[in-house]
Amino acid sequence: QPRVHRASLDSKKGRSGIGLRGVIKRAPPSTPDIVPEGARFIESMYSSSAGSRAYRLFIPSRYQERPLPLVVMLHGCTQSPDDFAAGTRMNFVAEEQDCFVAYPAQPRQANQAKCWNWFRTADQQRGRGEPSLIAGITRQIMNHYLVDRKRVYVGGLSAGAAAAAVMGATYEDLYAAIGIHSGLACGVATDLPSALVAMRQGGTNHQVISDGRTPVPTIVFHGDRDTTVHPNNGGQILEQSMRTSSTQKKVHRGQVPGGHAYTRTILSDASGCGMLEHWDIHGAGHAWSGGSPAGSYTDPRGPDATREMLRFFLEHSLPEK
């Protein structure tokens, strides 16, 4: 059975944490579950006037001073970079594909349950709050390593997925594509009460920060049995994209052998390039699809969200200026 834990709301001492409370006490993942042999997984720190955040950076073994893509991965509530890396196995797929992967860490001081504060207006804007910290980490890595600046991406799970949606809306010049697993669209909440409503039934506020711009290419995964973040949220991201761009729509249905069935909807632009992919995973709850039991909130019964997300990312690069 997948390790899907019950959700709760933690508001001790007036600090709000939307999210996931693990009911299984687990040992920290071991190094072989996190990083392939020969590669590096280093700890670093970013600081600015908005605050500071620690992060882990995966450097593939074949990094030889040539520009490589960078994927920024935002963990869910109660998770850590190591836990998220172990559960998604993103480092192992990135090792195959020669990509950097960064995992910013949200500390308890910022949110009692270590959730990214995607639902606060102050943390939904460019140049301030948590978006500026995540963008700052991204740029720090781009400045310290040879990163292909047109192939930088951001993805996440749950609160981290909602934060990735914020990053796509506020830093569309930095990220070439975004990945939203069990998350919510940017702008569906502005505070804790509206966040709880959006999580329970889907967002009602469609005031997405688009200003008529072409939306950032987005891949969405959501289990249709998710009781923590309502599956309507994944559908709303799809609807918003359809409203803002002229698209061709294709629907594929599939089944993982011994695992979940899924419906995959692809929206392409006039040139046939896939701009939005939505994976509706039938029977799955609030967990990373195809993930490893070495990490929390994973459902090993697939499909493999890590491999599909990275495949989608690498199909996109920022347009020439």
Side-chain angles (χ1 to χ4, degrees):
Q1 284 295 312
R3 299 186 185 208
V4 183
H5 309 317
R6 294 206 326 254
S8 70
L9 172 65
D10 176 22
S11 55
K12 292 172 190 164
K13 300 177 187 169
R15 283 182 295 188
S16 310
I18 290 191
L20 312 162
R21 270 277 173 253
V23 293
I24 298 171
K25 286 286 182 195
R26 60 200 307 111
S30 62
T31 301
D33 287 321
I34 300 171
V35 57
E37 204 172 329
R40 288 183 287 158
F41 199 41
I42 61 171
E43 180 110 30
S44 198
M45 178 70 74
Y46 171 78
S47 296
S48 73
S49 58
S52 62
R53 291 292 184 276
Y55 63 93
R56 299 292 299 264
L57 176 66
F58 171 77
I59 304 168
S61 61
R62 291 191 297 273
Y63 174 54
Q64 298 289 349
E65 304 301 310
R66 69 180 178 87
L68 299 182
L70 166 64
V71 177
V72 179
M73 290 283 282
L74 303 175
H75 64 73
C77 301
T78 76
Q79 293 185 312
S80 68
D82 283 10
D83 176 29
F84 197 39
T88 61
R89 291 185 69 80
M90 181 61 84
N91 291 345
F92 292 86
V93 186
E95 171 73 1
E96 292 172 22
Q97 303 286 340
D98 285 339
C99 297
F100 294 106
V101 189
Y103 300 83
Q106 178 75 321
R108 287 202 187 281
Q109 300 92 295
N111 182 293
Q112 184 77 20
K114 300 198 291 185
C115 310
W116 296 97
N117 292 300
W118 59 272
F119 51 89
R120 296 197 313 212
T121 304
D123 292 303
Q124 296 173 347
Q125 297 172 44
R126 185 183 177 100
R128 58 182 293 198
E130 289 175 8
S132 73
L133 292 170
I134 295 165
I137 288 169
T138 306
R139 289 180 173 136
Q140 181 168 287
I141 296 164
M142 291 165 74
N143 290 335
H144 290 182
Y145 296 87
L146 272 175
V147 171
D148 183 341
R149 290 172 174 261
K150 293 197 177 302
R151 302 177 85 200
V152 178
Y153 313 98
V154 59
L157 172 67
S158 191
V166 171
M167 298 310 294
T170 53
Y171 287 92
E172 77 286 347
D173 54 336
L174 188 58
Y175 301 104
I178 60 174
I180 301 174
H181 198 313
S182 311
L184 305 95
C186 180
V188 298
T190 53
D191 55 18
L192 194 58
S194 58
L196 289 170
V197 170
M199 288 172 67
R200 196 165 53 241
Q201 62 191 41
T204 53
N205 175 13
H206 284 298
Q207 298 306 309
V208 178
I209 312 164
S210 64
D211 302 334
R213 297 189 301 259
T214 304
V216 175
T218 303
I219 187 165
V220 175
F221 299 86
H222 218 118
D224 66 7
R225 299 278 177 86
D226 191 334
T227 57
T228 303
V229 176
H230 197 287
N232 281 353
N233 287 287
Q236 282 171 344
I237 297 163
L238 186 72
E239 286 169 27
Q240 285 169 355
S241 189
M242 288 176 78
R243 283 207 303 273
T244 54
S245 52
S246 58
T247 52
Q248 304 159 336
K249 179 177 170 182
K250 288 184 184 169
V251 179
H252 305 271
R253 288 180 176 81
Q255 168 89 43
V256 176
H260 292 300
Y262 58 87
T263 302
R264 176 186 177 204
T265 304
I266 302 169
L267 302 181
S268 304
D269 64 14
S271 68
C273 178
M275 296 302 289
L276 186 131
E277 230 177 87
H278 178 269
W279 291 69
D280 185 16
I281 304 161
H282 306 305
H286 194 71
W288 188 273
S289 180
S292 163
S296 61
Y297 311 113
T298 63
D299 183 346
R301 293 179 295 174
D304 188 341
T306 300
R307 196 168 287 282
E308 296 293 347
M309 188 178 285
L310 190 55
R311 184 260 317 152
F312 181 85
F313 284 170
L314 295 177
E315 290 171 0
H316 294 277
S317 56
L318 285 176
E320 298 293 332
K321 289 183 179 173

mmCIF file with all atom_site columns, all heavy atoms in Angstrom, residues 109-122:
data_model
loop_
_atom_site.group_PDB
_atom_site.id
_atom_site.type_symbol
_atom_site.label_atom_id
_atom_site.label_alt_id
_atom_site.label_comp_id
_atom_site.label_asym_id
_atom_site.label_entity_id
_atom_site.label_seq_id
_atom_site.pdbx_PDB_ins_code
_atom_site.Cartn_x
_atom_site.Cartn_y
_atom_site.Cartn_z
_atom_site.occupancy
_atom_site.B_iso_or_equiv
_atom_site.pdbx_formal_charge
_atom_site.auth_seq_id
_atom_site.auth_comp_id
_atom_site.auth_asym_id
_atom_site.auth_atom_id
_atom_site.pdbx_PDB_model_num
ATOM 1   N N   . GLN A 1 109 ? 10.806 27.565 11.494 1.00 0.00 ? 109 GLN A N   1
ATOM 2   C CA  . GLN A 1 109 ? 10.637 28.967 11.901 1.00 0.00 ? 109 GLN A CA  1
ATOM 3   C C   . GLN A 1 109 ? 9.748  29.730 10.912 1.00 0.00 ? 109 GLN A C   1
ATOM 4   O O   . GLN A 1 109 ? 9.090  30.700 11.278 1.00 0.00 ? 109 GLN A O   1
ATOM 5   C CB  . GLN A 1 109 ? 11.998 29.681 11.992 1.00 0.00 ? 109 GLN A CB  1
ATOM 6   C CG  . GLN A 1 109 ? 12.956 29.068 12.984 1.00 0.00 ? 109 GLN A CG  1
ATOM 7   C CD  . GLN A 1 109 ? 13.874 28.030 12.332 1.00 0.00 ? 109 GLN A CD  1
ATOM 8   O OE1 . GLN A 1 109 ? 13.394 27.005 11.871 1.00 0.00 ? 109 GLN A OE1 1
ATOM 9   N NE2 . GLN A 1 109 ? 15.168 28.307 12.294 1.00 0.00 ? 109 GLN A NE2 1
ATOM 10  N N   . ALA A 1 110 ? 9.738  29.292 9.656  1.00 0.00 ? 110 ALA A N   1
ATOM 11  C CA  . ALA A 1 110 ? 8.933  29.969 8.633  1.00 0.00 ? 110 ALA A CA  1
ATOM 12  C C   . ALA A 1 110 ? 7.510  29.431 8.593  1.00 0.00 ? 110 ALA A C   1
ATOM 13  O O   . ALA A 1 110 ? 6.582  30.141 8.204  1.00 0.00 ? 110 ALA A O   1
ATOM 14  C CB  . ALA A 1 110 ? 9.590  29.804 7.262  1.00 0.00 ? 110 ALA A CB  1
ATOM 15  N N   . ASN A 1 111 ? 7.353  28.163 8.976  1.00 0.00 ? 111 ASN A N   1
ATOM 16  C CA  . ASN A 1 111 ? 6.029  27.536 8.990  1.00 0.00 ? 111 ASN A CA  1
ATOM 17  C C   . ASN A 1 111 ? 6.130  26.305 9.889  1.00 0.00 ? 111 ASN A C   1
ATOM 18  O O   . ASN A 1 111 ? 7.007  25.469 9.702  1.00 0.00 ? 111 ASN A O   1
ATOM 19  C CB  . ASN A 1 111 ? 5.607  27.146 7.569  1.00 0.00 ? 111 ASN A CB  1
ATOM 20  C CG  . ASN A 1 111 ? 4.221  26.531 7.512  1.00 0.00 ? 111 ASN A CG  1
ATOM 21  O OD1 . ASN A 1 111 ? 3.998  25.433 8.020  1.00 0.00 ? 111 ASN A OD1 1
ATOM 22  N ND2 . ASN A 1 111 ? 3.294  27.234 6.891  1.00 0.00 ? 111 ASN A ND2 1
ATOM 23  N N   . GLN A 1 112 ? 5.223  26.220 10.842 1.00 0.00 ? 112 GLN A N   1
ATOM 24  C CA  . GLN A 1 112 ? 5.299  25.175 11.869 1.00 0.00 ? 112 GLN A CA  1
ATOM 25  C C   . GLN A 1 112 ? 5.397  23.775 11.271 1.00 0.00 ? 112 GLN A C   1
ATOM 26  O O   . GLN A 1 112 ? 6.065  22.902 11.806 1.00 0.00 ? 112 GLN A O   1
ATOM 27  C CB  . GLN A 1 112 ? 4.051  25.268 12.767 1.00 0.00 ? 112 GLN A CB  1
ATOM 28  C CG  . GLN A 1 112 ? 4.042  24.311 13.944 1.00 0.00 ? 112 GLN A CG  1
ATOM 29  C CD  . GLN A 1 112 ? 4.943  24.760 15.084 1.00 0.00 ? 112 GLN A CD  1
ATOM 30  O OE1 . GLN A 1 112 ? 5.291  25.930 15.158 1.00 0.00 ? 112 GLN A OE1 1
ATOM 31  N NE2 . GLN A 1 112 ? 5.315  23.835 15.949 1.00 0.00 ? 112 GLN A NE2 1
ATOM 32  N N   . ALA A 1 113 ? 4.716  23.538 10.138 1.00 0.00 ? 113 ALA A N   1
ATOM 33  C CA  . ALA A 1 113 ? 4.718  22.219 9.508  1.00 0.00 ? 113 ALA A CA  1
ATOM 34  C C   . ALA A 1 113 ? 5.696  22.144 8.330  1.00 0.00 ? 113 ALA A C   1
ATOM 35  O O   . ALA A 1 113 ? 5.653  21.206 7.542  1.00 0.00 ? 113 ALA A O   1
ATOM 36  C CB  . ALA A 1 113 ? 3.310  21.853 9.051  1.00 0.00 ? 113 ALA A CB  1
ATOM 37  N N   . LYS A 1 114 ? 6.575  23.154 8.205  1.00 0.00 ? 114 LYS A N   1
ATOM 38  C CA  . LYS A 1 114 ? 7.563  23.218 7.116  1.00 0.00 ? 114 LYS A CA  1
ATOM 39  C C   . LYS A 1 114 ? 6.901  23.294 5.736  1.00 0.00 ? 114 LYS A C   1
ATOM 40  O O   . LYS A 1 114 ? 7.439  22.800 4.753  1.00 0.00 ? 114 LYS A O   1
ATOM 41  C CB  . LYS A 1 114 ? 8.549  22.043 7.189  1.00 0.00 ? 114 LYS A CB  1
ATOM 42  C CG  . LYS A 1 114 ? 9.341  21.998 8.489  1.00 0.00 ? 114 LYS A CG  1
ATOM 43  C CD  . LYS A 1 114 ? 10.581 21.128 8.395  1.00 0.00 ? 114 LYS A CD  1
ATOM 44  C CE  . LYS A 1 114 ? 10.253 19.668 8.270  1.00 0.00 ? 114 LYS A CE  1
ATOM 45  N NZ  . LYS A 1 114 ? 11.473 18.823 8.299  1.00 0.00 ? 114 LYS A NZ  1
ATOM 46  N N   . CYS A 1 115 ? 5.702  23.889 5.685  1.00 0.00 ? 115 CYS A N   1
ATOM 47  C CA  . CYS A 1 115 ? 5.031  24.121 4.401  1.00 0.00 ? 115 CYS A CA  1
ATOM 48  C C   . CYS A 1 115 ? 5.548  25.427 3.802  1.00 0.00 ? 115 CYS A C   1
ATOM 49  O O   . CYS A 1 115 ? 5.770  26.397 4.523  1.00 0.00 ? 115 CYS A O   1
ATOM 50  C CB  . CYS A 1 115 ? 3.520  24.283 4.584  1.00 0.00 ? 115 CYS A CB  1
ATOM 51  S SG  . CYS A 1 115 ? 2.707  23.014 5.558  1.00 0.00 ? 115 CYS A SG  1
ATOM 52  N N   . TRP A 1 116 ? 5.682  25.467 2.489  1.00 0.00 ? 116 TRP A N   1
ATOM 53  C CA  . TRP A 1 116 ? 5.870  26.757 1.830  1.00 0.00 ? 116 TRP A CA  1
ATOM 54  C C   . TRP A 1 116 ? 4.577  27.554 1.973  1.00 0.00 ? 116 TRP A C   1
ATOM 55  O O   . TRP A 1 116 ? 3.482  27.004 1.882  1.00 0.00 ? 116 TRP A O   1
ATOM 56  C CB  . TRP A 1 116 ? 6.222  26.545 0.350  1.00 0.00 ? 116 TRP A CB  1
ATOM 57  C CG  . TRP A 1 116 ? 7.528  25.828 0.192  1.00 0.00 ? 116 TRP A CG  1
ATOM 58  C CD1 . TRP A 1 116 ? 7.702  24.492 -0.020 1.00 0.00 ? 116 TRP A CD1 1
ATOM 59  C CD2 . TRP A 1 116 ? 8.838  26.395 0.299  1.00 0.00 ? 116 TRP A CD2 1
ATOM 60  N NE1 . TRP A 1 116 ? 9.041  24.186 -0.066 1.00 0.00 ? 116 TRP A NE1 1
ATOM 61  C CE2 . TRP A 1 116 ? 9.768  25.342 0.122  1.00 0.00 ? 116 TRP A CE2 1
ATOM 62  C CE3 . TRP A 1 116 ? 9.324  27.689 0.506  1.00 0.00 ? 116 TRP A CE3 1
ATOM 63  C CZ2 . TRP A 1 116 ? 11.151 25.547 0.162  1.00 0.00 ? 116 TRP A CZ2 1
ATOM 64  C CZ3 . TRP A 1 116 ? 10.699 27.892 0.543  1.00 0.00 ? 116 TRP A CZ3 1
ATOM 65  C CH2 . TRP A 1 116 ? 11.592 26.837 0.372  1.00 0.00 ? 116 TRP A CH2 1
ATOM 66  N N   . ASN A 1 117 ? 4.704  28.860 2.206  1.00 0.00 ? 117 ASN A N   1
ATOM 67  C CA  . ASN A 1 117 ? 3.530  29.712 2.490  1.00 0.00 ? 117 ASN A CA  1
ATOM 68  C C   . ASN A 1 117 ? 2.909  30.253 1.201  1.00 0.00 ? 117 ASN A C   1
ATOM 69  O O   . ASN A 1 117 ? 2.738  31.466 1.027  1.00 0.00 ? 117 ASN A O   1
ATOM 70  C CB  . ASN A 1 117 ? 3.950  30.859 3.421  1.00 0.00 ? 117 ASN A CB  1
ATOM 71  C CG  . ASN A 1 117 ? 4.306  30.345 4.808  1.00 0.00 ? 117 ASN A CG  1
ATOM 72  O OD1 . ASN A 1 117 ? 3.475  29.738 5.483  1.00 0.00 ? 117 ASN A OD1 1
ATOM 73  N ND2 . ASN A 1 117 ? 5.552  30.558 5.226  1.00 0.00 ? 117 ASN A ND2 1
ATOM 74  N N   . TRP A 1 118 ? 2.536  29.326 0.322  1.00 0.00 ? 118 TRP A N   1
ATOM 75  C CA  . TRP A 1 118 ? 2.002  29.664 -0.997 1.00 0.00 ? 118 TRP A CA  1
ATOM 76  C C   . TRP A 1 118 ? 0.708  30.454 -0.928 1.00 0.00 ? 118 TRP A C   1
ATOM 77  O O   . TRP A 1 118 ? 0.346  31.140 -1.882 1.00 0.00 ? 118 TRP A O   1
ATOM 78  C CB  . TRP A 1 118 ? 1.733  28.364 -1.774 1.00 0.00 ? 118 TRP A CB  1
ATOM 79  C CG  . TRP A 1 118 ? 0.769  27.457 -1.062 1.00 0.00 ? 118 TRP A CG  1
ATOM 80  C CD1 . TRP A 1 118 ? 1.087  26.510 -0.120 1.00 0.00 ? 118 TRP A CD1 1
ATOM 81  C CD2 . TRP A 1 118 ? -0.651 27.440 -1.175 1.00 0.00 ? 118 TRP A CD2 1
ATOM 82  N NE1 . TRP A 1 118 ? -0.060 25.896 0.339  1.00 0.00 ? 118 TRP A NE1 1
ATOM 83  C CE2 . TRP A 1 118 ? -1.145 26.438 -0.286 1.00 0.00 ? 118 TRP A CE2 1
ATOM 84  C CE3 . TRP A 1 118 ? -1.576 28.164 -1.952 1.00 0.00 ? 118 TRP A CE3 1
ATOM 85  C CZ2 . TRP A 1 118 ? -2.500 26.156 -0.151 1.00 0.00 ? 118 TRP A CZ2 1
ATOM 86  C CZ3 . TRP A 1 118 ? -2.930 27.878 -1.814 1.00 0.00 ? 118 TRP A CZ3 1
ATOM 87  C CH2 . TRP A 1 118 ? -3.383 26.879 -0.928 1.00 0.00 ? 118 TRP A CH2 1
ATOM 88  N N   . PHE A 1 119 ? 0.004  30.373 0.200  1.00 0.00 ? 119 PHE A N   1
ATOM 89  C CA  . PHE A 1 119 ? -1.346 30.944 0.325  1.00 0.00 ? 119 PHE A CA  1
ATOM 90  C C   . PHE A 1 119 ? -1.336 32.371 0.845  1.00 0.00 ? 119 PHE A C   1
ATOM 91  O O   . PHE A 1 119 ? -2.386 32.985 0.976  1.00 0.00 ? 119 PHE A O   1
ATOM 92  C CB  . PHE A 1 119 ? -2.188 30.065 1.261  1.00 0.00 ? 119 PHE A CB  1
ATOM 93  C CG  . PHE A 1 119 ? -1.509 29.770 2.568  1.00 0.00 ? 119 PHE A CG  1
ATOM 94  C CD1 . PHE A 1 119 ? -1.661 30.611 3.649  1.00 0.00 ? 119 PHE A CD1 1
ATOM 95  C CD2 . PHE A 1 119 ? -0.691 28.652 2.698  1.00 0.00 ? 119 PHE A CD2 1
ATOM 96  C CE1 . PHE A 1 119 ? -1.021 30.352 4.848  1.00 0.00 ? 119 PHE A CE1 1
ATOM 97  C CE2 . PHE A 1 119 ? -0.047 28.382 3.905  1.00 0.00 ? 119 PHE A CE2 1
ATOM 98  C CZ  . PHE A 1 119 ? -0.206 29.238 4.973  1.00 0.00 ? 119 PHE A CZ  1
ATOM 99  N N   . ARG A 1 120 ? -0.164 32.911 1.153  1.00 0.00 ? 120 ARG A N   1
ATOM 100 C CA  . ARG A 1 120 ? -0.104 34.282 1.687  1.00 0.00 ? 120 ARG A CA  1
ATOM 101 C C   . ARG A 1 120 ? 0.211  35.266 0.567  1.00 0.00 ? 120 ARG A C   1
ATOM 102 O O   . ARG A 1 120 ? 1.140  35.052 -0.217 1.00 0.00 ? 120 ARG A O   1
ATOM 103 C CB  . ARG A 1 120 ? 0.978  34.379 2.771  1.00 0.00 ? 120 ARG A CB  1
ATOM 104 C CG  . ARG A 1 120 ? 0.674  33.535 3.979  1.00 0.00 ? 120 ARG A CG  1
ATOM 105 C CD  . ARG A 1 120 ? 1.488  33.937 5.194  1.00 0.00 ? 120 ARG A CD  1
ATOM 106 N NE  . ARG A 1 120 ? 2.902  34.125 4.922  1.00 0.00 ? 120 ARG A NE  1
ATOM 107 C CZ  . ARG A 1 120 ? 3.860  33.872 5.825  1.00 0.00 ? 120 ARG A CZ  1
ATOM 108 N NH1 . ARG A 1 120 ? 3.538  33.423 7.028  1.00 0.00 ? 120 ARG A NH1 1
ATOM 109 N NH2 . ARG A 1 120 ? 5.119  34.078 5.532  1.00 0.00 ? 120 ARG A NH2 1
ATOM 110 N N   . THR A 1 121 ? -0.524 36.349 0.520  1.00 0.00 ? 121 THR A N   1
ATOM 111 C CA  . THR A 1 121 ? -0.311 37.356 -0.528 1.00 0.00 ? 121 THR A CA  1
ATOM 112 C C   . THR A 1 121 ? 1.139  37.813 -0.568 1.00 0.00 ? 121 THR A C   1
ATOM 113 O O   . THR A 1 121 ? 1.718  37.993 -1.642 1.00 0.00 ? 121 THR A O   1
ATOM 114 C CB  . THR A 1 121 ? -1.244 38.571 -0.300 1.00 0.00 ? 121 THR A CB  1
ATOM 115 O OG1 . THR A 1 121 ? -2.591 38.091 -0.249 1.00 0.00 ? 121 THR A OG1 1
ATOM 116 C CG2 . THR A 1 121 ? -1.116 39.585 -1.414 1.00 0.00 ? 121 THR A CG2 1
ATOM 117 N N   . ALA A 1 122 ? 1.756  37.963 0.597  1.00 0.00 ? 122 ALA A N   1
ATOM 118 C CA  . ALA A 1 122 ? 3.146  38.433 0.668  1.00 0.00 ? 122 ALA A CA  1
ATOM 119 C C   . ALA A 1 122 ? 4.119  37.428 0.061  1.00 0.00 ? 122 ALA A C   1
ATOM 120 O O   . ALA A 1 122 ? 5.254  37.789 -0.282 1.00 0.00 ? 122 ALA A O   1
ATOM 121 C CB  . ALA A 1 122 ? 3.530  38.709 2.122  1.00 0.00 ? 122 ALA A CB  1
#
